[in-house]
Amino acid sequence: MTTTLDRTTTSRGLTALFTLALVLAAYRGFRMPGDWAATLEAISVTDGFHRRFLVGTLLHPLALATGYAYWVFAAAAFAVLAAVLGVVAVAFAHARHPGRKLLVAGWLLLPSGGFLFHEVGYFDQVLYLLLFAALWQLPRRPAVASGLMTAAVFTHEIAALTVLPVFAVVLLRRSSLRTTAMLLVTPVVAELAVLALPASSAGAVAGLQTAMATADFTPRADALALFERTQSQSWQLYSITGVLLCVAPICAVVVLGALLQRLDALAVAAVAAPALLAFAGWDWARWGFLLVVNFAVVLWLSPARSLRPLPLLAAAVLLAYLPLPYFDAQHPRELTIGQAFSTPRGNRTVNTAPPSLCTVSDPPCASTFSRAIASPSPLPSVA
């Protein structure tokens, strides 16, 4: 009787902690999707784009019918975020081991929780939603799971260093090497094809800019410019070494944390894989966020009885103090009443480009910052 009562009390306490963590994460990071994200959501294969086209292709008919209205892309972004939060809530509710519940609540309490709300509209959230769907389908429909991972590649090519390694770890734990290879071959071939093809056809960027001329938000020219540059040209715009140095502390904490949890080498590699995104782009805080996400997901997928609380707590403390800045010099909302009532209301402005892009983009970055057309956030600004 006493044991049952203790378990009930613990469960209620953890539920309260989860609810508080979710509210705090939303308060610190919630904003309207940025015009950068909305522009990328308009990318479609029908317009001649060969990367990151899945979301835009699905939204293409509605975007055309509404004249590329901002609400189409904002609604899609919030639908994905709501789905991700739903998966997180279900995972928490179904967790039987208190350690798993603490893992979910702790991830939301860390800066990663606020960053999740801050990057609404980015394809990272679609990638992990597809991963969760694939893991759900894997026991009963493995071919469908493989197809969902292929869809992740068409959503964003960084799937190769984020969700695919996690999927591979789960496959190797549950299946034979032969089965693993069979289920990975399609997404891997798709990834190679996406990287081998030009990012867009000739004239695709100009055509989309013309089509979006009547949109009720400012399409980001610098976002579309990504599809006209080679990787070597992008490397000239930022310092790979600088990005690696920024990501290194977060990578060191999560890798050491994984090792102290006695994860196998493949699981540790899946945790560390997002650090290699430093060779793909300059969004170091975003890569750090993805490192923390992979760390949490891999731990969640590991046996609950193997979780070691003290090393995990130490990793959480370190991650709480490591910087994870928002885009465009924005910052999380402060948890003070004065801040809540003295700060201007939020807008959609976001810029993921390095300073050097402001001298080469056409038009310049300074002239492509968006105006806040949609209703502003009812919360204080994150700018």
Side-chain angles (χ1 to χ4, degrees), residues 295-311:
F295 181 46
V297 172
V298 170
L299 284 180
W300 172 265
L301 295 171
S302 301
R305 61 182 179 277
S306 65
L307 289 176
R308 305 179 67 195
L310 290 181

Side-chain angles (χ1 to χ4, degrees), residues 98-123:
R100 287 186 183 272
K101 291 182 179 288
L102 283 172
L103 177 64
V104 176
W107 183 82
L108 287 170
L109 284 172
L110 289 174
S112 51
F115 202 96
L116 173 69
F117 284 88
H118 176 69
E119 70 151 20
V120 60
Y122 277 72
F123 294 149

Side-chain angles (χ1 to χ4, degrees), residues 42-55:
I43 300 298
S44 72
V45 70
T46 56
D47 289 321
F49 292 88
H50 307 141
R51 295 181 186 174
R52 312 179 194 181
F53 58 77
L54 181 63
V55 173

Side-chain angles (χ1 to χ4, degrees), residues 188-221:
V188 169
V189 169
E191 179 75 30
L192 294 174
V194 163
L195 295 178
L197 289 172
S200 63
S201 302
V205 169
L208 184 58
Q209 287 177 321
T210 300
M212 298 180 71
T214 58
D216 60 354
F217 68 99
T218 306
R220 293 292 298 269

Side-chain angles (χ1 to χ4, degrees), residues 20-34 78 81 85 107-122 125 289 324-327 330-335 339 346-350 377-383:
L20 176 63
L22 184 60
V23 170
L24 288 177
Y27 173 79
R28 291 175 68 81
F30 179 86
R31 69 182 179 94
M32 296 299 294
F78 281 124
L81 176 60
L85 293 175
W107 183 82
L108 287 170
L109 284 172
L110 289 174
S112 51
F115 202 96
L116 173 69
F117 284 88
H118 176 69
E119 70 151 20
V120 60
Y122 277 72
Q125 298 182 2
F289 167 72
L324 199 65
Y326 288 175
F327 302 125
Q330 296 180 353
H331 57 80
R333 296 182 182 88
E334 300 294 335
L335 299 176
Q339 176 77 11
N347 57 46
R348 301 199 314 264
T349 301
V350 62
S377 166
L379 297 175
S381 173
V382 294

Side-chain angles (χ1 to χ4, degrees), residues 50-340:
H50 307 141
R51 295 181 186 174
R52 312 179 194 181
F53 58 77
L54 181 63
V55 173
T57 301
L58 294 175
L59 295 177
H60 189 64
L62 188 55
L64 283 179
T66 61
Y68 291 91
Y70 171 77
W71 69 264
V72 171
F73 307 111
F78 281 124
V80 171
L81 176 60
V84 171
L85 293 175
V87 171
V88 172
V90 169
F92 177 87
H94 287 184
R96 297 181 179 180
H97 195 284
R100 287 186 183 272
K101 291 182 179 288
L102 283 172
L103 177 64
V104 176
W107 183 82
L108 287 170
L109 284 172
L110 289 174
S112 51
F115 202 96
L116 173 69
F117 284 88
H118 176 69
E119 70 151 20
V120 60
Y122 277 72
F123 294 149
D124 308 342
Q125 298 182 2
V126 181
L127 293 181
Y128 285 95
L129 190 60
L130 289 170
L131 171 65
F132 300 148
L135 295 178
W136 177 52
Q137 288 293 316
L138 186 58
R140 52 186 71 86
R141 299 182 185 90
V144 172
S146 179
L148 289 168
M149 286 293 92
T150 304
V153 171
F154 295 144
T155 299
H156 201 304
E157 63 274 15
I158 66 170
L161 295 172
T162 53
V163 296
L164 276 180
V166 177
F167 185 65
V169 168
V170 175
L171 283 177
L172 287 170
R173 287 177 177 174
R174 298 182 181 180
S175 309
S176 66
L177 185 60
R178 181 174 178 273
T179 301
T180 298
M182 290 177 59
L183 294 177
L184 284 178
V185 65
T186 303
V188 169
V189 169
E191 179 75 30
L192 294 174
V194 163
L195 295 178
L197 289 172
S200 63
S201 302
V205 169
L208 184 58
Q209 287 177 321
T210 300
M212 298 180 71
T214 58
D216 60 354
F217 68 99
T218 306
R220 293 292 298 269
D222 48 348
L224 294 177
L226 294 171
F227 297 87
E228 294 185 315
R229 289 195 301 269
T230 64
Q231 188 61 52
S232 60
Q233 289 173 330
S234 293
W235 285 336
Q236 297 173 13
L237 300 175
Y238 74 102
S239 168
I240 297 175
T241 302
V243 174
L244 283 171
L245 289 175
C246 290
V247 171
I250 300 175
C251 184
V253 171
V254 297
V255 168
L256 182 59
L259 290 172
L260 291 176
Q261 293 299 318
R262 298 174 181 172
L263 298 181
D264 57 68
L266 288 175
V268 174
V271 169
L276 295 176
L277 291 171
F279 294 93
W282 48 78
D283 292 348
W284 74 263
R286 187 170 156 218
W287 311 150
F289 167 72
L290 295 176
L291 280 166
V292 180
V293 173
N294 270 26
F295 181 46
V297 172
V298 170
L299 284 180
W300 172 265
L301 295 171
S302 301
R305 61 182 179 277
S306 65
L307 289 176
R308 305 179 67 195
L310 290 181
L312 192 56
L313 179 61
V317 170
L318 291 173
L319 290 173
Y321 282 94
L322 287 175
L324 199 65
Y326 288 175
F327 302 125
D328 200 27
Q330 296 180 353
H331 57 80
R333 296 182 182 88
E334 300 294 335
L335 299 176
T336 61
I337 296 178
Q339 176 77 11

